[in-house]
RNA sequence: GCCCCGGUAGCUCAGCGGAUUAGAGCAAUGGGCUUCUAUCCCACAGGUCGGGGGUUCGAUUCCCUCCCGGGGUACCA
């Protein structure tokens, strides 16, 4: 459509425009454009006159059935049924065909509790990766994680203290299914001690160094190393179990910090003087020159901070994949931090820096305002969210099926625009009424049951088929699928898919209410529409990582 | 202090340069099942789009400023 308008404007006025087109309310037409207003100033003409000229030309376009000019110069276009049908059957454009795209998300830290935020990035990241893959990109899913660093020092310090010494056998004897919580509790102890007790702080710093040393020496033998590797492996097992439970696509690669710490350290050291500077015994990047914060990349102990590790991560990604685009999604609290890191990298490796896109998401809160204290360690965990959804399902009736529970959680977390905080309401998320995952699942199951019951043979709709009003409304909505997916992909904004699918399901449910399928004169035609609808709904849900059940 | 993100109906959120009624859902009120799954649908109600300026033919949308909430601001991640 916009191509056609562009062509006409070029012919009429010899101007290149990117016309903004939108989908108006159905009563006005199928497509609307305000291109006449865009041009009015440039041409020094009345927008209404410009609109009339364009409208006249547009009238002759093959896919247009009616054109009208409204208000100050809006052009409302009604499309032919044939073009709507064709559009409804068309797949989204492969806008990333031939591109190699890295998507980094989830990023849980071994030795630390898995909080609700990890669940959020895991699910949103999974959808983002599905979107870029669906758009034709060679997609590589990466998972970064801190298996070295201060938090590990804190946990390991408390572990040794709790065990009353370096006792590998004692750690291995701990019950495996509660080991995650056990480590979480140790992290909290270590963290509190670090803040309150200078003696402990010094000890923790030593433990931290010890952990780095262990990696450099490739030490798997010492008792300390045995404890470390056991807990690290168990952490990763635990994460993998969660991913399986969540039914997210498998990661292509885990990139623990220990792997990228040294490359990062070396890169930073190699650029002391031209990019980084030494200050108070540390190595910093003076972000202030660029209106950003100044940050420490190597601390005075000579250890890489998270900054240097992120440098190492970026360079490793670049060297190993030579990507066209690298997407990273983390919490908003890292937004300005990441800007500094990328700016620093840009100074000596501009290409990967320019091709990196950092997305951020807000905090997940449980509605009802449960008080959380990170100090006590009663943070909202990933499992709390899942359990809250299950519990809410129990209340409203039969035991919640796992795939409905997942649909509820995934949809609730993805339906909001990225950036703001999410208030998770378990009851609302699991309800089959309202804008929820289960509503869409039910909408799918309901439509599928029509197809099961009909004995008429079902075929693709002919484009020359004349549509009745209710049918046309449904087709018109189905025709929007591709542009919704393209928009979500281009903007890396998965919530657009949710908004669209919900509108689609509502449109269908209205159609279902007013139009009989089985036994109607138009059964064959309507069956084709229902088939197309269930296909689109299922494809959309699949992009969200949500199952489309046959029955509910 | 400076910087980033947010503030749209009672609640949770879409919309982020356009008109004709600023849209949904939940909650509230009133309807619709002998009929393809009523886990659904319909109706009605609910808004100085945080305040104030500005740009524009036109601002919830762009710019400035202030207020409120969250986050960041050198050796945590």
């Amino acid at each position: 459509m916009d191509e056609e308008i562009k062509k006409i404007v070029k012919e009429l006025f010899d101007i290149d425009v990117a016309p903004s087109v939108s989908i108006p309310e159905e009563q006005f037409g199928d497509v609307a454009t305000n291109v006449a207003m865009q041009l009015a100033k440039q041409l020094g003409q009345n927008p209404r006159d410009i609109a009339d000229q364009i409208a006249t030309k547009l009238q002759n376009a093959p896919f247009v059935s009616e054109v009208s000019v409204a208000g100050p110069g809006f052009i409302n276009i009604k499309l032919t049924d044939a073009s709507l049908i064709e559009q409804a059957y068309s797949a989204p454009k492969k806008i990333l065909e031939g591109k190699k795209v890295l998507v980094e998300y989830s990023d849980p830290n071994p030795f630390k509790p898995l909080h609700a935020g990890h669940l959020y990035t895991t699910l949103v990241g999974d959808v983002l990766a599905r979107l870029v893959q669906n758009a034709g990109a060679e997609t590589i899913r990466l998972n970064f994680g801190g298996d070295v660093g201060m938090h590990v020092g804190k946990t390991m310090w408390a572990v040794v203290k709790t065990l009353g010494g370096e006792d590998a056998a004692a750690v291995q004897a701990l019950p495996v299914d509660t080991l995650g919580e056990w480590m979480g509790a140790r992290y909290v102890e270590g963290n509190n001690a670090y803040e309150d007790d200078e003696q402990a702080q010094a000890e923790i710093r030593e433990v931290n160094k010890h952990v780095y040393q262990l990696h450099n020496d490739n030490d798997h033998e010492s008792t300390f190393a045995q404890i470390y590797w056991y807990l690290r492996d168990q952490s990763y097992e635990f994460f993998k179990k969660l991913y399986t439970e969540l039914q997210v696509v498998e990661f292509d690669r885990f990139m623990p910090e220990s792997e990228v710490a040294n490359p990062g350290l070396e890169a930073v050291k190699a650029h002391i003087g031209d990019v980084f500077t030494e200050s108070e015994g540390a190595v910093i990047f003076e972000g202030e020159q660029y209106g950003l914060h100044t940050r420490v990349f190597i601390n005075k102990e000579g250890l890489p901070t998270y900054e240097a590790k992120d440098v190492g991560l970026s360079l490793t990604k670049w060297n190993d994949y030579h990507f066209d685009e690298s997407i990273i999604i983390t919490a908003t609290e890292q937004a300005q931090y990441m800007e500094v890191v990328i700016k620093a990298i840009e100074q000596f490796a501009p290409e990967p820096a320019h091709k990196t896109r950092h997305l951020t998401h807000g905090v997940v809160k449980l509605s009802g305002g449960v008080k959380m204290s990170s100090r006590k360690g009663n943070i909202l965990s990933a499992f709390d969210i899942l359990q809250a959804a299950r519990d809410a399902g129990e209340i409203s009736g039969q035991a919640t099926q796992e795939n409905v529970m997942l649909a509820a959680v995934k949809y609730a977390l993805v339906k909001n625009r990225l950036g703001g905080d999410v208030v998770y309401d378990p009851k609302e998320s699991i309800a089959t009424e309202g804008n929820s995952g289960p509503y869409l699942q039910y909408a799918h199951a309901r439509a599928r049951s029509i197809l099961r019951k009909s004995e008429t043979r079902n075929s693709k709709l002919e484009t020359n088929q004349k549509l009745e009003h209710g049918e046309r409304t449904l087709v018109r909505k189905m025709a929007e699928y591709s542009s919704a997916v393209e928009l979500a992909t281009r903007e890396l904004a998965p919530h657009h898919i949710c908004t669209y699918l919900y509108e689609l399901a509502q449109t269908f449910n209205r159609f279902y209410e007013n139009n009989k399928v089985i036994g109607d004169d138009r059964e064959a035609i309507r069956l084709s529409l229902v088939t197309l609808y269930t296909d689109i709904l299922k494809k959309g849900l699949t992009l969200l990582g949500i199952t489309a059940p046959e029955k509910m």
Side-chain angles (χ1 to χ4, degrees):
Chain A
M1 195 67 232
D2 44 349
E3 289 300 315
E4 186 66 24
I5 296 167
K6 195 175 164 171
K7 210 175 85 192
I8 290 170
V9 170
K10 184 78 178 167
E11 276 171 33
L12 280 164
F13 309 107
D14 196 31
I15 293 175
D16 284 306
V17 281
S20 74
V21 295
S22 58
I23 298 168
E25 281 179 47
E26 197 171 5
Q27 48 173 316
F28 299 121
D30 301 312
V31 182
T33 177
N34 62 353
V35 70
M37 269 83 97
Q38 286 177 280
L39 294 168
K41 198 173 287 174
Q42 257 187 84
L43 291 167
Q45 286 184 41
N46 183 328
R48 188 100 208 178
D49 294 341
I50 299 169
D52 283 332
Q53 292 178 64
I54 296 171
T56 310
K57 285 263 184 192
L58 218 41
Q59 195 83 61
N60 302 321
F63 44 82
V64 170
S65 77
E66 253 177 77
V67 184
S68 60
V69 175
F74 264 88
I75 304 171
N76 290 325
I77 303 150
K78 190 174 173 194
L79 302 173
T80 61
D81 288 359
S83 71
L84 276 183
I85 293 168
E86 199 187 317
Q87 181 60 31
Y89 275 102
S90 75
K93 288 195 201 90
K94 299 280 179 194
I95 57 177
L96 295 172
E97 190 80 73
K99 304 273 186 208
K100 188 186 278 188
V101 179
L102 269 44
V103 190
E104 179 205 318
Y105 55 100
S106 194
D107 297 352
N109 288 323
F111 304 94
K112 244 182 122 172
L114 203 56
H115 55 75
H118 288 121
L119 181 72
Y120 189 18
T121 102
T122 303
L123 297 178
V124 172
D126 182 58
V127 177
L128 287 168
R130 287 173 196 259
L131 283 176
V132 301
Q133 186 155 40
N134 186 64
E138 181 190 341
T139 307
I140 295 150
R141 294 168 170 82
L142 299 174
N143 192 326
F144 185 46
D147 63 339
V148 289
M150 277 314 285
H151 65 281
V152 181
K154 288 168 183 171
T155 302
M156 282 298 288
W157 174 85
V159 165
V160 172
K161 210 172 152 64
T162 303
L163 296 173
E166 293 179 10
D167 187 343
V171 170
Q172 284 159 20
L174 291 166
V176 177
D177 42 327
T178 52
L179 200 57
E181 289 148 51
W182 188 81
M183 271 191 270
R186 300 294 82 74
Y187 170 75
V188 173
E189 283 167 20
N191 197 38
N192 288 343
Y194 187 86
E195 280 170 27
D196 299 341
D197 180 352
E198 274 184 36
Q199 162 83 26
Q201 192 180 117
E203 287 171 19
I204 288 168
R205 287 184 177 282
E206 280 311 306
V207 175
N208 185 27
K209 272 205 238 179
H210 195 165
V211 172
Y212 278 100
Q213 197 55 45
L214 169 167
H215 277 278
N216 287 335
D217 298 346
N218 196 20
D219 175 5
H220 285 75
E221 301 308 314
S222 71
T223 329
F224 183 79
Q226 283 179 38
I227 297 170
Y228 172 85
W229 288 110
Y230 176 74
L231 292 176
R232 181 185 181 277
D233 289 347
Q234 286 299 327
S235 293
Y236 278 113
E237 284 308 311
F238 183 61
F239 298 152
K240 283 179 186 163
K241 216 179 107 201
L242 175 71
Y243 297 142
T244 306
E245 231 180 279
L246 293 176
Q247 297 175 25
V248 293
V249 179
E250 261 185 72
F251 285 91
D252 294 289
R253 182 171 168 191
F254 283 79
M255 300 180 81
E257 284 187 12
S258 57
E259 259 179 42
V260 299
N262 281 332
L265 201 58
E266 274 150 36
V268 172
K269 281 182 182 163
H271 291 281
I272 294 176
D274 57 335
V275 177
F276 301 98
T277 42
E278 291 183 278
S279 168
E280 297 170 33
V283 179
I284 63 166
F285 175 72
E286 289 173 327
E288 258 123 58
Q289 297 174 40
Y290 307 94
L292 305 171
H293 297 139
T294 289
R295 287 200 159 257
V296 172
F297 280 63
I298 302 174
N299 71 19
K300 61 174 76 158
E301 323 252 334
L303 296 177
T305 58
Y306 188 48
E307 284 81 343
K309 291 178 231 170
D310 245 322
V311 170
L313 178 64
S314 277
L315 297 178
T316 305
K317 283 179 182 175
W318 180 242
N319 290 334
D320 291 359
Y321 299 105
H322 279 87
F323 51 80
D324 293 291
E325 188 168 17
S326 170
I327 299 163
I328 303 167
I329 175 152
T330 70
T332 350
E333 59 189 21
Q334 287 176 32
Q336 290 173 283
Y337 152 83
M338 193 64 85
E339 268 189 82
V340 176
V341 173
I342 292 172
K343 184 54 83 179
I345 295 169
E346 190 188 313
Q347 307 310 307
F348 60 94
E351 220 181 335
H354 293 150
K355 289 178 172 174
T356 298
R357 211 161 144 191
H358 183 223
L359 307 179
T360 62
H361 67 256
V363 176
V364 180
K365 297 169 185 164
L366 206 51
S367 79
V370 185
K371 289 236 168 79
M372 295 293 163
S373 150
S374 59
R375 194 182 164 80
K376 287 191 185 138
N378 61 341
I379 51 145
L380 188 60
S381 88
F383 301 97
D384 292 339
I385 298 283
L386 299 177
Q387 196 51 48
R390 284 192 196 100
D391 293 347
E394 304 287 336
I395 291 164
S396 66
Q398 76 278 47
T400 309
Q401 287 176 353
E402 206 66 4
N403 68 354
V404 176
M405 182 278 285
L406 285 175
V409 174
K410 289 183 182 191
Y411 192 85
L413 295 184
V414 174
K415 77 173 179 179
N416 288 357
R417 197 212 306 154
L418 243 36
D421 291 348
V422 174
V423 178
Y424 178 69
D425 184 336
K427 222 178 136 189
E428 197 179 295
S429 80
I430 202 93
T432 43
E433 53 181 36
N435 190 1
S436 77
Y439 171 90
L440 296 180
Q441 288 186 312
Y442 179 64
H444 180 265
R446 222 178 161 209
R448 288 296 300 172
S449 107
I450 299 174
L451 299 177
R452 267 198 305 277
K453 292 204 170 143
S454 170
E455 282 159 18
T456 304
R457 196 130 57 85
N458 183 4
S459 60
K460 194 178 161 183
L461 199 62
E462 298 293 334
T463 47
N464 61 11
Q465 184 59 56
K466 188 91 191 78
L467 299 172
E468 281 187 356
H469 181 70
E471 296 162 355
R472 191 179 194 281
T473 303
L474 178 59
V475 172
R476 183 181 183 271
K477 198 71 206 173
M478 295 196 290
E480 279 179 46
Y481 175 70
S482 292
S483 53
V485 172
E486 287 160 22
L487 177 68
T489 310
R490 221 178 317 113
E491 293 186 356
L492 296 178
H495 76 282
H496 285 128
I497 307 270
C498 297
T499 307
Y500 169 75
L501 290 180
Y502 182 59
E503 287 171 4
L504 174 68
Q506 273 190 318
T507 306
F508 179 80
N509 283 338
R510 281 168 199 150
F511 173 80
Y512 181 100
E513 200 71 21
N514 300 315
N515 301 278
K516 189 89 189 129
V517 177
I518 296 171
D520 193 273
D521 288 349
R522 299 178 66 80
E523 176 165 350
I525 295 156
R526 290 183 178 170
L527 232 34
S528 306
L529 293 180
V530 176
T531 304
L532 179 57
Y533 162 73
T534 55
D535 287 350
I536 292 174
L537 188 52
K538 186 171 187 171
K539 271 189 232 162
L541 285 171
T542 305
L543 278 175
L544 299 176
I546 294 174
T547 55
E550 291 294 313
K551 290 181 185 174
M552 265 177 96

